[in-house]
Amino acid sequence: MASLARRRTTDLVVKAVSTGFAALSIVLLAWILWTLLSRGLPALGPHVFTRITAPPGAGGGLLNAIVGSLIQIVVALVIGTPIGLMCGTFLAENGRGTQIANVVRFVNDVLLSAPSILIGLFVYQLLVVPFGGFSGWAGSIALAILVIPVVVRTTEDMLNLVPIGLREAAFALGAPQWKVVTFVTWRAARAGLVTGILLALARAAGETAPLLFTSLGNNGWSINLGAPMASLPIAIYQYAASPFEDWVALAWAGALIITVGVLTLNVLSRLILAKMK
Amino acid sequence: MAASISGTEANTALIAAHKPTGRISDPIFVGLLWASGIFVLVLLGFIIAMLFEGGLPALREFGISFVWSTMWNPVTERFGAGVMVYGTVLSAVIAVIVALPLSFGIAFFLTEIAPGRLRRPIGVAIQLLAAIPSIIYGMWGFFVVVPLIAAYVQPPLIEWLGPIPLIGALFQGPPLGAGMLTAGLILALMILPFITAMFVEVLESVPPMLKESAYGVGATTYEVYRNVSVPYGRTAMVGAVMLGLGRALGETMAVTFVIGNATRMSASLFAPGATIASTIANEFPEASIGSLKLQALLQLGFILFVISFIVLALSRLLVRSKLKS
């Protein structure tokens, strides 16, 4: 065995390097945020929120992209949340300990980390090809498929935190299961369930790849879900890769808006969770 | 633990024994719960089936050699997945190689070194890296990292390592900035929070008694980490790395911005390349419905699904087996 002095030195060196690694990751996070702020803030102005996308040099904004994103996210949440909530409840209540619940949980974990671009291709095959065109509906459904596994996961985790005694007390009073779940279990886990929805919202807001082949993007004003619909991530993608300075600036402004929104949602859900525990 | 297990069983038994007394609402509610559970199963099956079916014509046209053929020529309509499969695996492996030591270090820092008050904020900050959307990494990579790598990282590496036989081939070519290595580095940063979070979770589940025994015979903090904590959580930690790998394989937007999108094979890490996901995102707009190219892209998607499914499934099994015991 090496001498004590040498072992102590190794220990110190590893501690220093590990602390350095942690510092490095914080620095990288700060660097990304700084890049967004320094390039996005100067480009941010009222025009971003009041004008729709326009050809380079015409002083356009991102209004249609922001509205399009909001519409698709809301529709995705309206479709995905109930399914996710019910599936998570199934895993935590009826299916607990059964083989089928294990399989569902496993499949949900795979869906949670599956490449989002493939969800886009799937919805393209499912809705865009048969119905003859890109549409806001297709985009919303692609996002809904991303929302579901996030909600399932948090719902199950949160319901598992609810004490068994609460359910038993309700059952003992003769309540049917739907009443126990909706009025007792869900209510007890309310804050946790909300965090799941917030996290799903954050995920849907930043996803670009699944929208490429579903809602496509739209440079005009359209709130028709049956037609191609603009979205913030797609507009950013299109503008960032363009050679026009004002478009690139708008892309940074959009990137800043999305990141601030997504990070706020994440911090918010963490605060709610911390309060619960 | 024992109390909660018996509580769980009691609960299941209770639900099973509970017969709704002539109500119609309960069977409907329970039916909905089951339907949602089954829905998720069916959804995955449906996704696999649709991707396979969409890409089937390409598979018929080019045969099974589609999977490894390195030809990708939209003009002559000869397609093969070889270059993209190589790029997907290589960029993801680079990401894991870079992220792994960092995750080990950060997990060590978070579980053993950081003072209690700092632990949470630093942990949360690192988790925020996972929340930043892929496209933001892409823009940051494209506008900030790529020029830096082209100016400061690649020229010296090409000069020093390029002439070495064998390894040198990895570091040759013009310093473009965009390429396989840059994509791997950006991916490393993106998967870092996932791997670290699971490492921390596993390390925190190590029984304190084990660690204290090691401290008791005079081991240093690092020795306990290396010889007690890490071996204890080894299986689940391998699972965590697989999860990171699975995430890196399918990452799209960030990679599309920084990999250079060249659909030809190159030995150099500095050369532009392509992954399956970046190729789909990049070439899709030029593929019309029913074209052979679109079918080739769908087949690429199916291959990506198979690769990431295997990796993610393995990850899940490894993590679960450990956390259960």
Side-chain angles (χ1 to χ4, degrees):
Chain A
M1 188 168 241
S3 74
L4 182 60
R6 206 167 143 197
R7 288 171 48 213
R8 281 222 170 116
T9 318
T10 314
D11 189 53
L12 266 181
V13 169
V14 174
K15 276 182 178 163
V17 169
S18 297
T19 310
F21 283 172
L24 175 70
S25 61
I26 304 288
V27 167
L28 288 170
L29 173 70
W31 189 6
I32 294 174
L33 296 180
W34 168 247
T35 307
L36 281 168
L37 284 173
S38 64
R39 301 192 184 203
L41 270 186
L44 211 57
H47 66 283
V48 174
F49 302 98
T50 53
R51 294 188 203 155
I52 69 164
T53 49
L62 292 169
L63 177 65
N64 52 338
I66 294 172
V67 172
S69 260
L70 288 178
I71 294 175
Q72 289 176 72
I73 292 169
V74 168
V75 175
L77 283 178
V78 167
I79 300 171
T81 308
I83 299 176
L85 203 59
M86 296 299 267
C87 182
T89 310
F90 166 75
L91 290 178
E93 308 283 332
N94 302 57
R96 203 187 276 202
T98 64
Q99 204 53 44
I100 185 146
N102 291 336
V103 177
V104 171
R105 194 175 297 117
F106 173 78
V107 165
N108 190 66
D109 282 343
V110 170
L111 280 177
L112 192 64
S113 303
S116 59
I117 191 165
L118 297 183
I119 307 298
L121 274 188
F122 164 66
V123 175
Y124 174 79
Q125 284 280 90
L126 184 76
L127 294 175
V128 176
V129 174
F131 291 97
F134 300 101
S135 68
W137 281 118
S140 305
I141 287 175
L143 291 181
I145 296 177
L146 294 169
V147 162
I148 292 172
V150 181
V151 177
V152 171
R153 183 62 169 281
T154 14
T155 302
E156 191 198 357
D157 288 350
M158 292 305 133
L159 293 186
N160 280 338
L161 292 179
V162 176
I164 300 289
L166 270 182
R167 299 180 177 104
E168 287 172 342
F171 276 125
L173 291 173
Q177 204 202 339
W178 71 269
K179 243 183 192 167
V180 176
V181 168
T182 47
F183 287 96
V184 179
T185 327
W186 280 357
R187 186 171 288 189
R190 193 169 52 213
L193 301 183
V194 171
T195 60
I197 298 166
L198 290 181
L199 288 175
L201 175 64
R203 166 128 203 237
E207 280 290 353
T208 317
L211 297 177
L212 284 171
F213 331 123
T214 50
S215 61
L216 190 67
N218 190 335
N219 284 324
W221 172 259
S222 170
I223 51 169
N224 175 8
L225 277 167
M229 190 175 252
S231 62
L232 203 43
I234 297 283
I236 294 174
Y237 179 47
Q238 187 192 343
Y239 279 17
S242 79
F244 311 109
E245 247 173 61
D246 57 333
W247 272 19
V248 174
L250 266 182
W252 282 110
L256 179 65
I257 298 171
I258 286 198
T259 311
V260 167
V262 167
L263 293 188
T264 311
L265 285 170
N266 264 278
V267 172
L268 197 67
S269 56
R270 268 165 218 285
L271 286 179
I272 297 178
L273 276 186
K275 222 176 205 176
M276 273 179 64
K277 282 171 185 165
Chain B
M1 200 63 210
S4 81
I5 285 173
S6 68
T8 311
E9 279 163 1
N11 182 48
T12 319
L14 213 101
I15 292 172
H18 177 81
K19 292 209 175 61
T21 48
R23 280 173 219 261
I24 193 88
S25 47
D26 222 28
I28 292 179
F29 185 76
V30 174
L32 275 176
L33 290 183
W34 275 86
S36 314
I38 305 298
F39 174 80
V40 170
L41 283 187
V42 175
L43 184 64
L44 183 76
F46 221 48
I47 292 174
I48 299 175
M50 288 294 259
L51 289 177
F52 181 71
E53 193 234 321
L56 203 55
L59 200 63
R60 283 218 188 89
E61 174 82 20
F62 304 112
I64 188 71
S65 69
F66 177 86
V67 179
W68 57 80
S69 159
T70 55
M71 171 79 83
W72 185 272
N73 191 337
V75 182
T76 58
E77 296 225 303
R78 302 296 302 166
F79 298 109
V83 176
M84 296 83 185
V85 171
Y86 169 77
T88 305
V89 173
L90 181 62
S91 60
V93 168
I94 295 175
V96 168
I97 292 174
V98 175
L100 189 58
L102 289 170
S103 297
F104 266 119
I106 297 171
F108 182 48
F109 174 81
L110 286 176
T111 52
E112 305 291 346
I113 308 175
R117 272 178 305 132
L118 284 181
R119 208 165 283 184
R120 237 191 96 72
I122 294 178
V124 168
I126 289 168
Q127 286 317 303
L128 286 186
L129 279 172
I132 294 177
S134 176
I135 191 164
I136 308 297
Y137 279 100
M139 286 181 77
W140 179 69
F142 182 73
F143 288 102
V144 178
V145 180
V146 166
L148 284 179
I149 288 193
Y152 301 106
V153 179
Q154 288 181 339
L157 283 179
I158 292 170
E159 199 175 314
W160 298 335
L161 300 173
I164 302 173
L166 289 177
I167 329 170
L170 291 173
F171 303 99
Q172 280 167 357
L176 299 171
M180 211 57 99
L181 181 71
T182 314
L185 291 177
I186 300 277
L187 284 174
L189 183 58
M190 297 178 75
I191 62 175
L192 176 76
F194 291 98
I195 302 183
T196 306
M198 288 175 79
F199 274 12
V200 169
E201 194 183 332
V202 173
L203 292 170
E204 278 175 347
S205 74
V206 177
M209 192 71 87
L210 276 183
K211 295 203 296 193
E212 277 159 23
S213 318
Y215 283 123
V217 294
T220 62
T221 318
Y222 167 63
E223 284 164 349
V224 172
Y225 181 66
R226 201 193 137 160
N227 301 319
V228 178
S229 303
V230 172
Y232 180 86
R234 200 172 39 213
T235 319
M237 288 170 100
V238 173
V241 174
M242 300 286 272
L243 177 79
L245 183 66
R247 291 240 162 206
L249 288 168
E251 199 48 67
T252 310
M253 301 319 292
V255 175
T256 309
F257 269 98
V258 299
I259 201 165
N261 298 310
T263 48
R264 54 177 187 274
M265 202 66 130
S266 176
S268 175
L269 295 179
F270 295 164
T275 67
I276 292 180
S278 77
T279 306
I280 298 174
N282 216 37
E283 307 224 352
F284 185 85
E286 293 135 40
S288 50
I289 292 183
S291 69
L292 193 57
K293 184 172 185 181
L294 181 69
Q295 288 152 356
L297 289 176
L298 287 166
Q299 187 59 33
L300 274 183
F302 179 70
I303 295 174
L304 174 60
F305 199 95
V306 171
I307 301 176
S308 33
F309 183 86
I310 294 171
V311 172
L312 292 173
L314 267 175
S315 148
R316 218 49 236 163
L317 294 176
L318 290 169
V319 170
R320 212 165 275 274
S321 70
K322 188 64 194 184
L323 286 182
K324 227 186 232 169
S325 60

